[in-house]
Amino acid sequence: MAVGDEVSVACARRIALAAQGFGDPRERVEVRAAIQQAGVLQLDSVNVLCRSHYLPVYARAGAYPQSTLDELSWGADRELFEYFWGHKAALIPLGNHPLMRWRMRAAERQVWDDELSPDVTAPWSVVAGMRRLTAERPGYVDQVLELVREKGPVTAGEASPDGVRRKRTDPDPDPGTGKMWNWQDAKIAVEYLFCTGQVTIAGRRHFERIYDLTERVLPSDVLNAPEPTADEARRELVRIAARGLGIATLKELCGGSGQAHFPLPAATGREVIGELVEAGDLIPVRVEGVKQQSYLWHQAQDRPIDAQALLSPFDPLIWNRDRTHRLFDFFYRISIYTPAPQRIHGYYVLPFLLGDQLVARVDLKADRQNSALLVPTLTPEPDSPGFIEPLAAELRQMAAWLNLDRIQITATSPAAKRLSQLI
């Protein structure tokens, strides 16, 4: 494909799916390959079905042991580490740790800068909390670091040097939401140390973070690896995003608002993409119906897609909702933060990918007490015939993967009634 070529939506969709690892049958995809294809695995506390980071691997590699991902993430021979994707926590391949160090230092500077740097990933709650702690409790962060050094690994609740879980009495609001934060001082301090790379996540206990010194957690060869310059790191991060997306606009490659792999300031993103175009890594093209300039990864493939998968709301294929709408004609918003009377498609809604189309929305819940996979709502997309039988097979496989004995369909739509006949 040449510079300036127009790419049809169907072609762009196939390229995106192939780049994300949906071009091969799941039985041929290994767990490590699925992780590399996804790029990053977003972490989320919602556990209505299962933790979100397990689902993208399942979508690409099928029914794998969840303990395999646990070991790769937090085991003695880990191959992933936790850090921030945008402003969200994620599991990232260990080899990318040197690429994030400039962001760690930027997070440290952000606390003291009058204006927030667009280069950082530290949450506002950490920045505001650290500014308050510095004024109210000078030296406190050093005490927390020393406690981690002496007693780690520890949870945030165990990281308070004075043993007091002190609440914030005068919280600063998040400028984006107005929400008041109520973090313990020790939690603020240890999260700051995490953002700046001085401590890292040694493991999880009931999904609660356990912190320890980075040098005691990550392999020495990773920590001693040559550190690229900030410019080199930015270019490589955009390359990683481009490989994972296949074809994308600048905003999709490195824009803000938490829907790009590794967000960059707009001016920096334009500069980096220009350098990658000049190097031949990216090819400027036009996607049918998309006003913005798109960029094709030079090794991207347009290939037939015969996929079948239920997708996590946080799957990298669909986490950019605008891109999902353009490529799949599928308007999708997560509903877990929507008041119940306003929900249309259910609470924890997974799009069902069949072939190269998103053909239905399936609300799912794991009723662990009764060992049942619940289907409270099923909503087909218009003009999506023939998906009931593949969906039944997918639900049976997912129930078995989650160690649930049965599937219970309480949805009442005509499609749900047909599905019930096959379960």
Side-chain angles (χ1 to χ4, degrees):
M1 202 168 291
V3 172
D5 281 358
E6 180 167 293
V7 180
S8 69
V9 173
C11 176
R13 183 169 58 247
R14 292 190 299 268
I15 290 170
L17 284 161
Q20 272 293 302
F22 290 100
D24 296 313
R26 284 192 288 191
E27 58 269 19
R28 297 183 188 173
V29 180
E30 296 182 351
V31 169
R32 287 178 176 84
I35 295 169
Q36 289 292 336
Q37 290 162 338
V40 297
L41 301 176
Q42 184 180 341
L43 293 160
D44 190 83
S45 60
V46 175
N47 195 25
V48 66
L49 179 64
C50 74
R51 300 291 184 191
S52 65
H53 59 286
Y54 295 112
L55 288 168
V57 180
Y58 171 77
R60 291 156 179 78
Y64 71 101
Q66 293 184 19
S67 59
T68 300
L69 183 55
D70 291 340
E71 187 63 25
L72 291 173
S73 304
W74 300 291
D77 297 321
R78 71 187 66 211
E79 298 180 20
L80 304 170
F81 72 102
E82 285 195 44
Y83 200 58
F84 290 102
W85 153 74
H87 60 278
K88 299 173 174 65
L91 293 166
I92 302 172
L94 199 54
N96 293 342
H97 188 272
L99 301 177
M100 308 303 290
R101 291 179 195 156
W102 64 278
R103 303 189 81 167
M104 295 173 183
R105 283 191 293 276
E108 185 175 3
R109 293 194 305 271
Q110 182 182 20
V111 169
W112 320 120
D113 290 345
D114 291 334
E115 296 184 3
L116 300 186
S117 166
D119 273 348
V120 303
T121 55
W124 169 252
S125 48
V126 173
V127 175
M130 278 297 300
R131 291 176 179 176
R132 179 185 60 80
L133 277 180
T134 302
E136 294 180 6
R137 309 185 72 176
Y140 182 78
V141 175
D142 291 336
Q143 295 175 39
V144 171
L145 180 59
E146 188 58 31
L147 185 147
V148 175
R149 190 183 311 278
E150 292 178 1
K151 298 184 178 181
V154 296
T155 66
E158 298 164 342
S160 175
D162 53 15
V164 177
R165 298 189 177 192
R166 180 176 177 272
K167 298 291 186 179
R168 294 187 57 178
T169 56
D170 185 23
D172 298 308
D174 183 312
T177 66
K179 179 179 179 180
M180 295 296 180
W181 295 91
N182 195 26
W183 279 16
Q184 303 166 3
D185 286 354
K187 173 70 171 177
I188 294 169
V190 79
E191 281 290 297
Y192 166 76
L193 294 169
F194 171 50
C195 290
T196 57
Q198 298 175 72
V199 305
T200 195
I201 309 305
R204 292 266 181 165
R205 184 187 305 150
H206 306 299
F207 208 64
E208 183 180 12
R209 284 172 169 167
I210 302 173
Y211 304 84
D212 203 353
L213 297 180
T214 300
E215 60 263 31
R216 291 204 296 239
V217 175
L218 301 187
S220 58
D221 61 331
V222 172
L223 297 179
N224 295 330
E227 182 177 336
T229 66
D231 288 341
E232 290 169 340
R234 293 183 187 106
R235 282 194 294 272
E236 187 56 32
L237 290 172
V238 176
R239 285 191 188 98
I240 292 169
R243 282 195 297 269
L245 294 173
I247 188 169
T249 65
L250 183 151
K251 186 175 181 180
E252 293 161 359
L253 283 167
C254 53
S257 71
Q259 293 204 34
H261 277 61
F262 306 105
L264 295 172
T268 304
R270 283 192 294 270
E271 181 179 347
V272 171
I273 286 175
E275 293 169 351
L276 295 181
V277 168
E278 186 175 351
D281 291 333
L282 293 176
I283 302 170
V285 295
R286 292 285 175 184
V287 174
E288 175 189 3
V290 179
K291 294 180 180 179
Q292 298 88 351
Q293 177 72 65
S294 292
Y295 299 91
L296 177 74
W297 176 244
H298 70 290
Q299 295 177 327
Q301 297 180 345
D302 176 10
R303 53 188 298 193
I305 302 293
D306 187 23
Q308 180 177 303
L310 286 159
L311 302 176
S312 161
F314 307 106
D315 193 292
L317 177 68
I318 59 170
W319 68 31
N320 188 313
R321 309 306 191 204
D322 293 338
R323 184 172 188 256
T324 301
H325 194 193
R326 285 197 294 267
L327 291 180
F328 294 93
D329 192 23
F330 189 89
F331 184 82
Y332 177 59
R333 297 293 186 271
I334 192 168
S335 300
I336 58 177
Y337 307 112
T338 303
Q342 300 175 24
R343 293 181 198 134
I344 299 173
H345 304 296
Y347 178 75
Y348 199 76
V349 180
L350 283 71
F352 182 43
L353 172 66
L354 186 63
D356 67 351
Q357 299 283 349
L358 299 177
V359 298
R361 304 160 195 260
V362 190
D363 186 19
L364 292 177
K365 179 179 180 179
D367 181 354
R368 297 173 182 88
Q369 183 174 355
N370 295 302
S371 194
L373 178 61
L374 306 182
V375 187
T377 310
L378 170 61
T379 311
E381 284 295 281
D383 302 320
S384 297
F387 76 91
I388 296 295
E389 190 169 334
L391 177 58
E394 189 66 22
L395 290 173
R396 285 192 291 268
Q397 178 172 300
M398 176 170 278
W401 177 60
L402 295 174
N403 296 314
L404 301 173
D405 295 329
R406 61 193 179 93
I407 300 169
Q408 183 179 345
I409 300 172
T410 58
T412 57
S413 66
K417 291 177 181 178
R418 295 197 302 273
L419 180 64
S420 296
Q421 297 171 358
L422 297 176
I423 295 298

